[in-house]
Amino acid sequence: MHATQAEGVQSLVWLLIALPLASAAVLLVGGRRTDKWGHLLGCATPLAGFGIGVAAFVQMLGYPAEERARTLHLYEWIAVGGFNVDVGLLLDPLSVSFVLLITGVGSLIHIYSIGYMSHDTDRRRFFAYLNLFIAAMLLLVLADNYLALYVGWEGVGLASYLLIGFWQFKPSAAVAAKKAFVVNRVGDFGLSVAIMVMFGAFGVVSFTGVFGAVEGASKGLVTAVGLLLLLGACGKSAQLPLQTWLLDAMEGPTPVSALIHAATMVTAGVYLIVRSGPIFDLSPDARLVVAIVGAATLLVGAIIGCAKDDIKKGLAGSTMSQIGYMILAAGLGPVGYAFAIMHLLTHGFFKAGLFLGAGSVMHAMNDEVDMRRYGGLYRVMPWTFVTFGFGYLAIIGIPPFSGFFSKDKIIETAFNKGGTSGWILGACALLGAGITAYYMTRMVLMTFFGERRWSDDAHPHESPPVMVGPMVLLALGSIFAGLLLTLGGRFQDFLAPVVGESPEHGVHAISPVVLTLITLLVVIGGGIAAYVQYGRRTVPVVAPAGSFATVAARKDLYGDAINESLIMRPGQWLTRLTVFFDSRGVDGLVNTVAATIGGTSGRVRRLQTGFVRSYALSMFFGAALVIGALLLVRL
């Protein structure tokens, strides 16, 4: 699909980035003078962006499928020798899908935040950071080259640091923000090196230039670039081995969790891999590694979610797992790209709804996050219960809710890969569906059913309309989004010019009907197991010690310990070795030369006494030596 120049409404897509960026600047520079209306301005800009996105999408539908990619050149950014980079925006079916998700779900989270942050004295600053986040994410998905994408990539990292550590007076929040920032720098290193390799090998960093040149590159080079891009994706999307920051990121306000885990940051890695599809399509090895990372992470995240009593951390483990499904689908190549994005979009609705529901519960329970101190809340929080319930049914994949259509397609596509790897990947995806049903059913039972385990100072109540409204709209998306996207294969056809054809035209390893029934049985089995353990028994307020597996899951399967042993400690020793070499080797050599010159000059300086008699004596002895030498020569 060749890109042509944007026109009409699409020529205004730069406003998608400019509006929230300008709003963030006004709120940060304006200071306390904007406190009274800052939250309104903060909500207005993503809503305006959503309007522009919808108009651009409608205009796009009026073009033939092969002409829907449109570029908007903004200005020349870098022109140094042979290195020329222009700043331009690419609006095509893939980027416009992200635009609608980011601005649509992002707007609902902004509105919800009006109520959730109503008592925070720094609410205006919070909305400024939210706007900065939206602007950076939109630049990331709209950029037409890897270097501009990288600017948005780093902008998202900065905004996430500011939002996760928003309540910086809490040491845990400050540490969590720093951890997210540092871990993401590891992934960012992979992306930055990949861009350098692209320029070094191809002389360009634009998508069209790289994709056109990569076909003539060696397999080793393509694989290296693909693995470096995967490293970048692992950082932003919290995939193994860079997943540990996500659980600690729950220290930020709950709307931040909804924004990071549903519509923006964690989806960036999926976007990067799908956008770089032409690179991965030329390297089966890199693509297989992507699929393996996704399959492993979806299981790890699900297992961690089973052991968390903190409702937000349980949902964080769920996010890690669901992004794993998307990465797995992306690793399957053109047959999985569309389903990775489809699950990303449906996940944006039901996961944002689940996080906002969790925030509603916390709002009513004096910020209590321990589900063991909830129970029976469905009676006093009916709207929260119903909307959270729809998100629950969507994420476990019960028809006709949205997760059923997107996640089942990923499971089906994994099995359709064929061979041993296909069966293993499919089995992992199927097992993950069962574990998802278990931990999500556990969460619903512990939160909304059973005996009331509240503390005496808790007085749970339904959230205000400004919070309930967005939750209702997200619940509707949890119900209908999957059906609307899959009806008649319309979404696959919409993305096909960018990502290739879907597996609907291929051969099925297992009949789709049979596989659907098997998946539903596995899901129901996971739900029943949770009901037996938490629905029919009294939930203790204090968690029992548990087995070794339970303890390991509570400690995030020792992810921090593993990273500390394999990455941090070796890094520290390497740093110490480098410092030793620098101080004793490089500095020692320099200091030795300097000391030698200084010592020599000091000794030579003693010959310059300033006394005439000394100089006369020196001249006398010098003359005597010269005369003596001449006499010896004559003899």
Side-chain angles (χ1 to χ4, degrees), residues 242-287:
L242 303 178
Q243 82 287 0
T244 56
W245 68 269
L246 192 67
L247 297 162
D248 293 299
M250 297 301 98
E251 292 294 336
T254 301
V256 174
S257 303
L259 192 64
I260 290 176
H261 296 166
T264 54
M265 185 169 175
V266 293
T267 64
V270 182
Y271 171 81
L272 178 66
I273 293 175
V274 174
R275 174 61 76 188
S276 304
I279 295 175
F280 287 96
D281 292 343
L282 295 174
S283 177
D285 294 336
R287 209 164 63 191

Side-chain angles (χ1 to χ4, degrees), residues 339-607:
F339 297 133
I341 302 302
M342 182 189 299
H343 192 54
L344 186 151
L345 296 178
T346 59
H347 177 264
F349 285 102
F350 61 69
K351 183 52 63 66
L354 289 170
F355 266 112
L356 296 189
S360 179
V361 171
M362 292 169 56
H363 186 267
M365 297 291 289
N366 298 331
D367 289 329
E368 177 63 65
V369 296
D370 190 346
M371 293 185 291
R372 293 184 180 275
R373 298 185 180 276
Y374 293 162
L377 290 178
Y378 80 92
R379 300 181 183 91
V380 292
M381 303 183 70
W383 283 100
T384 300
F385 167 65
V386 171
T387 55
F388 194 96
F390 285 149
Y392 155 72
L393 294 172
I395 193 173
I396 68 173
I398 297 296
F401 295 89
S402 58
F404 166 77
F405 296 97
S406 57
K407 189 161 63 177
D408 276 32
K409 285 296 184 183
I410 295 176
I411 297 173
E412 177 185 324
T413 306
F415 277 111
N416 289 345
K417 185 179 187 300
T420 304
S421 61
W423 285 97
I424 293 175
L425 295 173
C428 290
L430 185 60
L431 177 60
I435 302 176
T436 300
Y438 173 83
Y439 70 72
M440 286 304 304
T441 303
R442 171 183 181 269
M443 186 178 294
V444 170
L445 292 174
M446 291 179 69
T447 302
F448 295 102
F449 294 95
E451 298 177 355
R452 300 181 178 185
R453 303 179 297 276
W454 316 332
S455 59
D456 294 335
D457 62 340
H459 303 284
H461 54 279
E462 189 57 87
S463 297
V466 72
M467 295 171 63
V468 172
M471 291 160 56
V472 171
L473 293 177
L474 290 170
L476 293 176
S478 300
I479 300 172
F480 299 111
L483 180 62
L484 293 175
L485 289 173
T486 58
L487 191 62
R490 61 176 66 183
F491 187 67
Q492 297 96 297
D493 294 337
F494 178 67
L495 286 184
V498 181
V499 303
E501 297 293 335
S502 73
E504 300 299 323
H505 309 291
V507 178
H508 298 285
I510 302 177
S511 169
V513 176
V514 174
L515 185 56
T516 296
L517 292 175
I518 294 174
T519 303
L520 286 176
L521 289 175
V522 171
V523 168
I524 293 171
I528 291 175
Y531 175 75
V532 170
Q533 187 171 358
Y534 294 95
R536 300 182 62 182
R537 303 176 186 175
T538 301
V539 177
V541 177
V542 179
S547 62
F548 171 78
T550 301
V551 174
R554 288 173 182 167
K555 293 184 178 180
D556 307 335
L557 297 182
Y558 302 104
D560 285 326
I562 293 172
N563 286 342
E564 180 179 343
S565 300
L566 298 181
I567 300 176
M568 192 188 83
R569 294 302 179 191
Q572 287 181 331
W573 284 106
L574 179 61
T575 301
R576 290 170 184 170
L577 179 62
T578 304
V579 171
F580 176 82
F581 175 75
D582 181 66
S583 60
R584 299 297 179 86
V586 177
D587 287 351
L589 177 61
V590 172
N591 293 336
T592 299
V593 173
T596 301
I597 296 174
T600 303
S601 64
R603 291 177 177 86
V604 172
R605 187 167 59 246
R606 295 175 183 175
L607 299 175

